[in-house]
Amino acid sequence: MNDSELSHVLAVIQQRTGISFRNDQTQSIQRTLSLLMQRLGITTSAAFVAAIQSDPEVYNELVNEITVGETYFFREPKQFDFIRHRIIPELRSRRGDSTILRAWSAACASGEEAYSLAILCQQETQQLDLLGTDLSIQSIAKARRASYRDWSFRGGAMSQVAKYLVQTHSAKHDQRYELSKQVRRHVRFQLLNLASDDYPNRSAGIGNFDLILCRNVLIYFQRETINAIARRLYECLVPGGWLITASGDPSLIQESDFAAITTQYGTFYQRGVPNAAGQNRAAEVTKSGTHVKPKSDFPKPITSVRSPETPPSAAAAETAKSVDASPSQSPSRMPIHSRLMAEARKALAAGDYAAAVRLTENQRQHPDACVIHIRGQAHRNAATALERCSEAVASHPLATELHYLRARLLMDANQLDEAARAIGRALFLDRSDVMSQFLAGSIQFRRGQWKVAYRHFETALKLCNQQDPQALIPFSKQDTAAVTAAAAESQMTKIRALLAKTP
């Protein structure tokens, strides 16, 4: 697929899904699409475009490849505290204790967010009518099954969820839990593309909501699409209704009528209640009491928009670049994070691991800093590195390299089962990453799963062969595609020999 063909394919994808990709993602998304075309037996970009537009199965496969369904129960717990301590009491005060909370989990992925709200309402004896929607048929199917592994309950969520779970499968490497019908009966799921204009739709039950959760999805879209989504979400709320987005999502107040309400739990959006003059106003609660603050009083922050495969650091770097940098900018005028990262990378490359750790110690809100910090720490104290890496993946769950590093550290600590789960999360985020495939093969080999290991090494080999032989492989120790391919072939030869000896 040449550049012109790729541009056309990406334009069609954006038209169908609303999802856009940054220029620096071109190589990664091209690999992803090429692998998908190979798997589907499609040989030309024209045929691929035609299939996307006319074949629902191909379209669904595409959606599953380009979106990240990473989520977990009670993610960003302060936001759920806001629902518990502000939204529900406020709703009951207006409409009585027997009122029903009508809520929508938009882009619900595999359902953890929606079920978290259902559990919270069970705890608060709050009646609930909850809709969960997603672009992906596969995600909706998972949400309806309501069957989850331990990873969905990380960050302490198990303490809140445990009483609503039934253990359904306890195989050594696949422990699963199913949510009780007590929780599931309050939630329904259906397909919906947020970038479409299919909502509000009262006849389909998409409207008149008291609460909308739309978290970690707006980062996939361009600003124009975000603004259109914000306007439609506003229309889906009742007056006084609330919209909750993720803390890392772009601002919605620039092109919508939302009021941004700042509380001790974070900043949220509210559709105002008309006053006697017909103007929309929303109240902000502070420690000193309640006062009214119209939307115009809130500054409009500069925000950046990330695409599906872009780590949070990339968006932050671009914002910093657009505000602070110029083509002739000297190192002394670089943004402090960029300057520290440059020094930390230099220290890591020089083997000055103490300096690499020190320079990144207070920068771990950035995924790239976490990577350097953990790589440096691994040379000093592997146990500390693993601890820091576990903290980092909880803070940056979409950073593939952090999941890769955690899997490496777990394998080195001989925690092979957990290493297998960790590398599975990296592959979930990016199946076309060579080193993640290679590490998955190494872990499965040590677990004695030779056939599974062989498939991972074979995939790594195929990915290497699609690249320039001298291209450097990400996450590696500056290894080229040719070197990595040879290593994968060597492992495959070893496994074939072992299998030949096995009865």
Side-chain angles (χ1 to χ4, degrees):
M1 192 186 305
N2 60 36
D3 291 346
S4 176
E5 290 170 336
L6 179 62
S7 296
H8 180 55
V9 171
L10 294 182
V12 171
I13 290 173
Q14 183 174 348
Q15 182 183 32
R16 287 297 313 274
T17 68
I19 296 172
S20 60
F21 299 91
R22 292 159 52 93
N23 290 335
D24 58 2
Q25 295 177 280
T26 300
Q27 186 176 6
S28 176
I29 188 61
Q30 185 170 21
R31 286 201 307 269
T32 298
L33 296 178
S34 296
L35 288 172
L36 176 60
M37 290 171 65
Q38 288 178 22
R39 193 167 78 242
L40 297 173
I42 298 174
T43 57
T44 68
S45 62
F48 188 41
V49 166
I52 293 170
Q53 294 175 323
S54 62
D55 189 330
E57 291 188 8
V58 172
Y59 174 75
N60 291 331
E61 287 281 349
L62 171 69
V63 169
N64 291 334
E65 288 293 331
I66 65 175
T67 57
V68 175
E70 173 70 4
T71 185
Y72 51 94
F73 281 83
F74 289 96
R75 186 177 186 176
E76 294 203 56
K78 283 191 175 182
Q79 296 190 339
F80 287 96
D81 289 342
F82 179 71
I83 297 170
R84 189 189 306 273
H85 299 301
R86 171 75 183 270
I87 293 180
I88 291 177
E90 187 180 83
L91 185 68
R92 288 173 172 173
S93 176
R94 290 204 315 266
R95 301 204 309 233
D97 289 348
S98 61
T99 189
I100 297 174
L101 172 65
R102 281 184 45 78
W104 176 19
S105 173
C108 65
S110 45
E112 287 92 332
E113 175 184 87
Y115 288 129
S116 295
L117 179 57
I119 289 170
L120 185 152
C121 287
Q122 285 280 320
Q123 294 168 341
E124 298 298 315
T125 61
Q126 171 61 53
Q127 294 189 67
L128 174 68
D129 177 18
L130 175 56
L131 171 67
T133 65
D134 200 87
L135 173 67
S136 166
I137 286 180
Q138 186 180 82
S139 293
I140 291 295
K142 288 180 179 179
R144 287 172 176 162
R145 285 196 298 271
S147 177
Y148 301 101
R149 294 188 175 93
D150 287 332
W151 183 241
S152 290
F153 309 109
R154 62 191 182 273
M158 183 59 86
S159 62
Q160 294 204 60
V161 180
K163 67 178 290 187
Y164 304 99
L165 297 177
V166 177
Q167 188 169 326
T168 58
H169 189 63
S170 57
K172 183 177 180 181
H173 306 305
D174 187 23
Q175 186 163 292
R176 283 184 172 274
Y177 303 88
E178 186 174 293
L179 278 169
S180 67
K181 291 182 180 179
Q182 179 187 10
V183 172
R184 295 166 64 179
R185 66 189 177 91
H186 295 288
V187 189
R188 66 189 190 281
F189 295 97
Q190 67 186 59
L191 284 171
L192 180 74
N193 182 353
L194 281 176
S196 72
D197 58 2
D198 295 336
Y199 64 98
N201 185 340
R202 302 292 190 269
S203 62
I206 307 176
N208 292 323
F209 293 112
D210 302 300
L211 169 65
I212 298 174
L213 296 168
C214 184
R215 307 189 304 165
N216 301 294
V217 63
L218 297 174
I219 55 176
Y220 287 12
F221 303 119
Q222 291 185 334
R223 185 75 245 183
E224 181 180 355
T225 304
I226 293 170
N227 292 341
I229 290 172
R231 289 190 290 269
R232 288 194 291 268
L233 293 177
Y234 182 90
E235 293 301 322
C236 285
L237 287 168
V238 298
W242 292 92
L243 169 66
I244 297 180
T245 61
S247 56
D249 281 333
S251 170
L252 300 184
I253 63 174
Q254 296 175 351
E255 298 294 335
S256 73
D257 293 325
F258 280 113
I261 309 300
T262 300
T263 75
Q264 61 180 315
Y265 307 104
T267 298
F268 307 98
Y269 301 100
Q270 187 176 31
R271 177 170 178 169
V273 179
N275 61 15
Q279 297 173 323
N280 286 334
R281 300 177 74 83
E284 178 187 13
V285 173
T286 65
K287 292 181 180 179
S288 60
T290 303
H291 66 277
V292 176
K293 198 166 198 177
K295 185 187 80 169
S296 59
D297 289 347
F298 290 88
K300 297 182 179 180
I302 297 173
T303 60
S304 60
V305 182
R306 302 198 305 271
S307 301
E309 297 178 354
T310 308
S313 57
E318 178 171 316
T319 301
K321 185 186 296 183
S322 64
V323 174
D324 299 313
S326 66
S328 59
Q329 190 175 41
S330 65
S332 63
R333 292 178 58 83
M334 289 171 62
I336 186 167
H337 175 69
S338 299
R339 190 164 66 248
L340 285 172
M341 288 307 94
E343 293 176 16
R345 289 189 187 95
K346 185 176 179 180
L348 186 66
D352 189 351
Y353 304 121
V357 169
R358 175 176 49 77
L359 287 164
T360 53
E361 179 64 39
N362 296 320
Q363 295 292 311
R364 284 182 289 148
Q365 69 271 33
H366 304 285
D368 56 343
C370 289
V371 167
I372 298 171
H373 186 88
I374 292 159
R375 286 188 180 276
Q377 193 67 260
H379 287 276
R380 307 175 74 217
N381 186 311
T384 301
L386 179 55
E387 182 182 342
R388 292 291 174 88
C389 198
S390 296
E391 294 170 355
V393 297
S395 299
H396 309 290
L398 301 184
T400 305
E401 188 169 4
L402 290 174
H403 289 286
Y404 167 82
L405 288 174
R406 184 166 182 267
R408 279 289 305 271
L409 291 164
L410 286 164
M411 185 181 74
D412 292 344
N414 207 34
Q415 298 181 42
L416 299 181
D417 292 349
E418 186 59 33
R421 286 189 283 270
I423 199 60
R425 290 159 198 145
L427 290 172
F428 180 83
L429 294 171
D430 187 358
R431 298 177 200 176
S432 65
D433 179 64
V434 174
M435 291 309 297
S436 293
Q437 291 287 356
F438 195 99
L439 180 58
S442 300
I443 292 167
Q444 295 297 350
F445 182 83
R446 287 182 57 176
R447 294 176 77 226
Q449 301 294 319
W450 296 339
K451 291 182 180 180
V452 178
Y454 188 93
R455 289 196 294 270
H456 284 297
F457 287 127
E458 186 177 38
T459 301
L461 175 61
K462 289 178 180 177
L463 290 168
C464 286
N465 288 339
Q466 292 173 3
Q467 303 187 41
D468 184 306
Q470 298 307 310
L472 295 180
I473 299 299
F475 306 172
S476 73
K477 297 179 180 179
Q478 297 293 296
D479 293 329
T480 64
V483 168
T484 309
E489 281 188 298
S490 175
Q491 293 298 316
M492 291 165 65
T493 301
K494 183 187 300 184
I495 292 172
R496 283 195 296 267
L498 289 168
L499 291 173
K501 297 177 183 178
T502 304

